Amino acid sequence: MLRELYIENLAVIKSAVIPFGVAFNAFTGETGAGKSILINGINAVLGQRVTKDIVRNGCDKAVVTALFTDLSESVCSKLDELGIQYQDDEITITREISADGGSVARINNRTSTVSVLRELGQLLINIHGQHDNQILMDSEKHTLILDNFGSDSTYLEEYRASFKELQQCARRLSDMKKQQQSLSEKQAYLQSVVDEIEPLELEEDEDIQLEEEYQMLKNSTEIIKSLLSSKGYISDDDCIADSLNSVEGILDGISDIYSPVRPLLERIKSINIELVDIASELSHCASSLEIDDETFDVISGRRDSINSLKRKYGRSLNEIIDFYNKSVSELSQIENSTDIIEGLELQKKELIEETTRKARKLYEYRSRVAVEFIDRVTKELRFLDMPDVIIDIRHDKGKLSANGMDSIEFLISANKGESPKSISKIASGGELSRIMLALKTVIADKDDIPTLIFDEIDTGVSGRAAQKIGIKLREISSFRQILCVTHLSQIAVMADNHLLIEKKTLGESTETNVTKLDFERRVNEIARIMGGENPSELMLKNAEELLKTNKR
């Protein structure tokens, strides 16, 4: 629950430390004193959107820090999930808003993100403001309210899982049908690519090898001539070999009497042997290189075909092979699209049946919940000074949607003899406030959100109805912390902790202070609410009696 709020330079609040009790906390003050600023401060630490206009004039930044204690199981689980450490079942959340428009979020003095604050905030505090009454005017929100009351989300989760799968299947089927209609030209093109490239049975880097063979065969006559000529220089008469033989004979004649020539003689013998081997290899190469016009034509033709493809597609041979493989794959997909569409249509039919079955179960579950919901809300509203109220729910079946097949709308009759009609058509402002309070009451024990904030829940009510609202808020505060901004004494006297919001002008500036009231000051504030400024002794006495009567 929220135990303390520190505010610095937030609008007209220069500095304030606001302590909260564990049960019923009431805020009062004159109109315009700054009660809405307090709510804005709480919204800031809950990760809601704030603007730089909220920073006090002349200041660099505004700071709001909230201390939460007695953390619920849901909050602890979320903190563990987010990897945020905490001790003694408490955390502090800080939001700094800069005058230049930026903001910084911290949890336990460690930098965090606004989105994380928002995730935690949904588990820490539930705020009801006047605009929330509009939820009752929107019948599309009524299903959500009923589901929150029911608390068992199993039926809805199972339905949504099937509905999501159905949506994905339907989307893919639609895409496939559109694709099939627009692919006839592409299919013809891909087929022409495959028909042109496939017969060649191309291999990677084949063009490099072909070019080598082509050049060799093209110049085979010249190559043979060069090989035989080279062999002649080595082994014919008056060739290199004969000269070396002569040298070998001369050196051999003096090797016995002059030892330094012996190594040279051995080297010349080795050269002779190597030359004989080279001559043999040249002869072999020349004889194996036959002039084969047929082979040349085949290689030349394949080379021309590959070069033609390279020019046509503007790609290398290996890129053409990749293009061919992709074309075959894509063509296969197009050709198989009919089978795929038939499979998707069958899958869609099965998913519709499965989703519809789950939608019916969800409908039946909501019908059971609606009976209990009507009973509980009716009792609460009768307590809240609406004795003749009749609550009903129009529950129809419609098309499958993200929330099921249900069409749900709350109906109400506030006066005896009138049939229930849409809330949006007949409910007054005061009735909307009481209906919303009744809903908050019956839903409060379905979750573990520890703190409920009511911002002017008393709009449009007075007298006995206001007193009943105060009693109901006190009742809820026995198991939830309540923070309530109110203008009515009947509600304020029920509070366990009373805080006064006052606006004061100091020279050229305005400040708002938040003060925890002791019993004597509570008497004066309750009397002011009842009778205005400068209350009479009788009004003060009445205020004192009211506080004593409602003290617990």
Side-chain angles (χ1 to χ4, degrees):
M1 66 182 66
L2 180 60
R3 294 308 301 267
E4 186 176 274
L5 190 69
Y6 169 74
I7 296 176
E8 179 183 326
N9 298 327
L10 190 73
V12 293
I13 299 180
K14 183 177 182 180
S15 179
V17 178
I18 306 168
F20 298 99
V22 298
F24 188 178
N25 301 266
F27 292 88
T28 62
E30 295 182 354
T31 301
K35 295 186 290 294
S36 61
I37 298 171
L38 179 69
I39 301 299
N40 289 340
I42 294 174
N43 273 323
V45 296
L46 297 181
Q48 300 304 311
R49 183 176 178 273
V50 293
T51 64
K52 62 182 181 180
D53 300 333
I54 204 170
V55 180
R56 183 175 172 82
N57 285 336
C59 298
D60 294 332
K61 65 181 179 180
V63 180
V64 184
T65 299
L67 169 64
F68 294 92
T69 64
D70 303 312
L71 304 178
S72 68
E73 184 177 338
S74 296
V75 172
C76 291
S77 296
K78 177 58 70 173
L79 289 170
D80 292 338
E81 177 187 327
L82 296 169
I84 298 173
Q85 296 182 347
Y86 57 96
Q87 291 181 339
D88 302 326
D89 244 10
E90 65 180 42
I91 58 170
T92 58
I93 298 179
T94 299
R95 184 88 178 272
E96 294 182 4
I97 304 99
S98 300
D100 61 7
S103 76
V104 176
R106 292 189 179 89
I107 301 175
N108 289 341
N109 293 320
R110 291 185 61 181
T111 303
S112 185
T113 63
V114 172
S115 61
V116 169
L117 296 195
R118 198 175 299 119
E119 284 187 64
L120 282 174
Q122 295 173 350
L123 303 174
L124 289 166
I125 293 179
N126 185 302
I127 298 181
H128 168 72
Q130 291 187 46
H131 67 280
D132 288 337
N133 287 342
Q134 299 305 311
I135 294 175
L136 293 173
M137 310 293 279
D138 184 358
S139 60
E140 291 185 2
K141 300 291 194 303
H142 295 178
T143 302
L144 176 62
I145 294 173
L146 187 64
D147 285 344
N148 286 339
F149 173 78
S151 73
D152 184 357
S153 60
T154 305
Y155 292 97
L156 181 58
E157 289 172 357
E158 290 180 352
Y159 167 79
R160 281 179 172 167
S162 293
F163 183 75
K164 182 179 180 181
E165 192 176 354
L166 172 60
Q167 282 184 311
Q168 292 172 341
C169 177
R171 193 177 298 117
R172 188 180 173 203
L173 177 60
S174 176
D175 291 343
M176 286 295 296
K177 286 184 176 180
K178 290 177 183 177
Q179 188 181 46
Q180 190 181 46
Q181 293 171 359
S182 63
L183 287 182
S184 56
E185 291 184 7
K186 188 171 184 179
Q187 183 179 15
Y189 169 70
L190 291 173
Q191 189 63 58
S192 69
V193 169
V194 171
D195 290 343
E196 182 177 27
I197 299 175
E198 187 174 49
L200 292 176
E201 298 181 351
L202 300 173
E203 296 180 5
E204 288 190 3
D205 299 322
E206 180 186 359
D207 54 337
I208 298 173
Q209 182 181 350
L210 273 175
E211 187 63 31
E212 290 178 357
E213 291 184 25
Y214 172 78
Q215 293 298 334
M216 182 182 66
L217 292 173
K218 179 182 178 183
N219 298 285
S220 59
T221 301
E222 183 178 348
I223 293 171
I224 292 171
K225 181 180 178 182
S226 296
L227 291 172
L228 293 177
S229 176
S230 297
K231 174 185 175 293
Y233 280 113
I234 294 173
S235 59
D236 285 354
D237 293 338
D238 298 326
C239 62
I240 297 172
D242 286 345
S243 298
L244 285 174
N245 286 331
S246 298
V247 173
E248 182 182 343
I250 293 169
L251 293 178
D252 189 47
I254 64 172
S255 62
D256 290 337
I257 59 175
Y258 186 65
S259 61
V261 303
R262 292 172 187 166
L264 298 176
L265 180 62
E266 292 301 321
R267 289 168 64 184
I268 289 173
K269 289 179 178 180
S270 296
I271 292 172
N272 265 326
I273 293 170
E274 184 68 17
L275 284 173
V276 170
D277 188 59
I278 291 172
S280 176
E281 286 291 329
L282 289 172
S283 179
H284 176 72
C285 288
S287 62
S288 64
L289 188 63
E290 298 178 0
I291 300 175
D292 186 345
D293 292 337
E294 183 178 350
T295 302
F296 177 75
D297 289 343
V298 171
I299 291 176
S300 178
R302 187 165 181 80
R303 173 180 175 272
D304 290 343
S305 298
I306 290 176
N307 286 337
S308 176
L309 287 178
K310 289 162 74 172
R311 287 193 298 272
K312 180 175 181 179
Y313 294 108
R315 308 175 187 220
S316 68
L317 177 63
N318 292 346
E319 289 173 338
I320 290 173
I321 293 173
D322 288 341
F323 176 55
Y324 165 76
N325 290 332
K326 290 177 182 177
S327 297
V328 170
S329 175
E330 194 170 348
L331 189 60
S332 176
Q333 289 178 6
I334 294 173
E335 291 170 346
N336 292 334
S337 61
T338 301
D339 294 337
I340 295 173
I341 288 173
E342 289 177 358
L344 287 172
E345 285 177 337
L346 178 60
Q347 183 184 8
K348 181 182 175 183
K349 181 181 178 182
E350 292 172 349
L351 283 171
I352 288 174
E353 293 174 355
E354 177 187 338
T355 306
T356 302
R357 283 196 304 271
K358 291 181 178 180
R360 291 194 185 102
K361 289 183 179 180
L362 179 59
Y363 178 90
E364 293 166 0
Y365 166 72
R366 284 171 171 162
S367 297
R368 296 193 299 271
V369 171
V371 175
E372 182 185 357
F373 179 82
I374 291 170
D375 179 63
R376 290 282 305 278
V377 174
T378 299
K379 289 177 180 177
E380 296 295 338
L381 288 175
R382 286 177 179 169
F383 175 81
L384 292 170
D385 210 38
M386 296 178 70
D388 299 319
V389 70
I390 298 175
I391 295 289
D392 199 2
I393 295 179
R394 181 184 291 132
H395 190 186
D396 300 321
K397 292 180 180 178
K399 295 181 180 179
L400 297 177
S401 70
N403 291 316
M405 61 167 54
D406 306 70
S407 173
I408 291 175
E409 183 179 11
F410 298 158
L411 308 177
I412 184 172
S413 169
N415 302 307
K416 188 176 292 187
E418 293 182 0
S419 59
K421 296 182 176 63
S422 298
I423 290 178
S424 60
K425 295 180 180 178
I426 64 169
S428 65
E431 288 169 340
L432 286 174
S433 294
R434 281 177 282 176
I435 293 170
M436 182 54 77
L437 178 57
L439 295 179
K440 294 283 184 179
T441 301
V442 301
I443 293 174
D445 61 353
K446 300 289 184 177
D447 59 43
D448 62 354
I449 298 176
T451 301
L452 301 179
I453 297 179
F454 293 93
D455 184 11
E456 300 187 7
I457 189 69
D458 52 18
T459 299
V461 297
S462 59
R464 189 172 68 174
Q467 183 183 24
K468 292 294 186 70
I469 289 177
I471 294 171
K472 182 53 62 177
L473 290 174
R474 171 179 278 190
E475 178 185 315
I476 300 173
S477 72
S478 64
F479 58 94
R480 293 285 187 273
Q481 183 189 37
I482 298 294
L483 277 61
C484 179
V485 176
T486 182
H487 293 289
L488 298 180
S489 60
Q490 296 96 321
I491 295 176
V493 295
M494 298 288 178
D496 303 293
N497 184 38
H498 191 159
L499 297 129
L500 175 64
I501 302 177
E502 295 178 287
K503 184 166 68 175
K504 296 180 180 180
T505 301
L506 303 174
E508 297 300 319
S509 64
T510 301
E511 289 186 13
T512 290
N513 297 319
V514 182
T515 307
K516 181 177 180 179
L517 301 181
D518 57 19
F519 184 79
E520 184 177 347
R521 292 200 64 185
R522 284 193 75 183
V523 170
N524 285 301
E525 175 62 7
I526 296 298
R528 183 197 66 78
I529 296 172
M530 292 190 296
E533 296 297 329
N534 302 314
S536 65
E537 287 296 325
L538 178 60
M539 195 67 70
L540 290 168
K541 186 67 175 175
N542 287 339
E544 183 178 0
E545 288 298 322
L546 281 172
L547 285 170
K548 288 180 178 179
T549 301
N550 291 289
K551 186 177 180 181
R552 62 175 175 180

